[in-house]
Amino acid sequence: MGFQSPAALLLRLLLLQGVLRLVWGDLAFIPPFIRMSGPAVSASLVGDTEGVTVSLTVLQDEAGILPVPTCGVLSNETEDWSVTVTPGAKVLEVTVRWKRGLDWCSSNETDSFAESPCILQTLLVSASRNSPCLAHLLIQVEIYANSSLTHNASENVTVIPNQVYQPLGPCPCNLTAGACDVRCCCDQECSSNLTELFRLSCFTGVFGGDVSPPFDQLCSAGTTTHSVPDWFPFLCVQSPLANTPFLGYFYHGAVSPKQESSFEVYVDTDAKDFADFGYKQGDPIMTVKKAYFTIPQMSLTGQCMQNAPVAFLHNFDVKCVTDLEVYQERDGIINAKIKNVALGGTVTPKVIYEEATDLDKFITNRETPLNNRSAPRIVNVEEHYIFKWNNNTISDINVRIIRAEINAHQKGIMTQRFVVKFLSYNSGNEEELSGNPGYQLGKPVRALNTNRMNNVTTLYLWQSAGRGLCTSATFKPILFGEDVLSGCLLEVGINENCTQLRENAVERLDSLIQATHVAMRGNSDYTDLSDGWLEIIRVDAPDPGADPPASSLNGICLDVPARLSIRILISDAGAVEGITQQEILGVETRFSSVNWQYQCGLTCEHKADLLPISASVQFIKIPAQLPRPLTRFQINYTEYDCNRNEVCWPQLLYPWTQYYQGEPHSQCVAKGLLLLLFLTLAMFLSNPWTRICKAYS
């Protein structure tokens, strides 16, 4: 058994001493041992640090002699090392630094990539009060010369290989230029001796340099895999590993970087002008300056585009959320002039301004600015645009802007609303049709309430916000053809009166259907009840009368109306210019009840519970013609029934049958005849046919 080195023996003693000192509450270094590979290290001295001094000693253990540390004289600096002490709350932060810097290593090394360490020393930091040593810190210094830090990087442009024939990054784990990366066995800057130190712990996979793994179809891959099928040797690919299918899967971009400015604004300088020949649906509206007339709109990613062109005959209603600190008001639309050549001039928007009454409805997370003496600023919270159109031109533009006055340094989140509607020039009011004559998908369902003077209305659903409470929920109209489920939450206490709860739930649900009739068509006249108006079929809610005996307990209510189902029957009613027209055949509303019970945690506290109530809309399409009933032969003989057999003989020539709707029938017939022509030519030019012709000749 050999003797241990003095440094190793001292390390064991210091570790044992540090643990015992922490247990006893004496002065100690944390950690008591540090392996140093950089220019500076730090440790914490904990305990009673009042009046403590720190000294530094370089241990010379090459000859096997370990000097006894002296703590009588303060020595916090040597020729190559310095010690700094930063006081804290019952803790001293001790930092040891190499004074010469890492440039000293490169100046002393003739080989920039030397494998031996540049600095190999053992340091002992001691803490004392008066003269006796109270704690020790052992530092093992082992610093290598790193060319990536001591040499200037080359300014030559990196040569990028052809990505089709050679991988762009053959060694992804080579992260440090001019130095050996540990565990990166493909790093060419690592010598064989250094690689032997971590050969058993090399990075694997693509990161470790395996950028061209053998693919499954390679014949050599089958020799190492035992699960290949029997036919693999006949169909495998003979190819060298350098020719891999993983090459070429890179974007062929520019090799040299492009110098661009830090801030650029994209401007569409090639705006196509459609106003000279009249607008078509979807064309952007142009101004007299040959620029797009823009209004903020929602993109497909859910973000607001501030300079989105307005499309002709496209209505939208969007909300944009903006931080007031970065908000900038758009240029005014007063001076905007819309190009309208067909009417012999331009159209100037007519703007009406209104003041916002409830600022909390538009601005949330408001912070009161400290400087209230600054001048206020005006922000637009809502903008409503009404375009009057005539054929393919715009005849008039009316704009209603709701604005608010806020402090110039106001902070918060502002929600802006932008509404665009296109109305016919001869419409006397802003009444919007939902179709002409049939309903269009996505248009509101038209409704009437004959029990009040202002009878024009529609059917609604909830649009919850915040905590989802019914008291703060807003309404949104039911759109034709869209099945929707919405809901909100009612706050209910443990001592809630069940009768009052039922009445409150019925009132909330009834507020969604404040109508007695719905329009059969999208252009039914509001003033003529006989013009295709259907009465809503209502299934009454449970009687919110006296409670059943079982509900006399607090926190339990039976038969609470909590669900409203709206079922709308629709059907195809012909076509206009090839466009199918849909109409409503009937509307039914039905209530469903639930048994509510107050949910207690560990204890039943006197706080409100939440009762969810919901409303659903379902559009049920009724076929215009009832399907033909099956004959007795079709019922009993199922060989030609495609729904009950894997083989469907009626669809053998599927592209030429009525089931194929991918392209027009005329194109299918033309392509089929062309294919038949090719088959006929192939048959006539085939070898058996030429033999028959030669035999007859």
Side-chain angles (χ1 to χ4, degrees), residues 4 8 55 274 341 367 410 453 515 519 578 585:
Q4 297 181 352
S55 61
F274 298 93
V341 177
E367 296 183 10
Q410 180 74 51
M453 295 296 296
L585 302 181

Side-chain angles (χ1 to χ4, degrees), residues 1-18:
M1 181 177 179
F3 293 98
Q4 297 181 352
S5 63
L9 182 60
L10 181 59
L11 171 62
R12 294 177 180 272
L13 294 176
L14 289 177
L15 289 175
L16 178 61
Q17 184 185 24

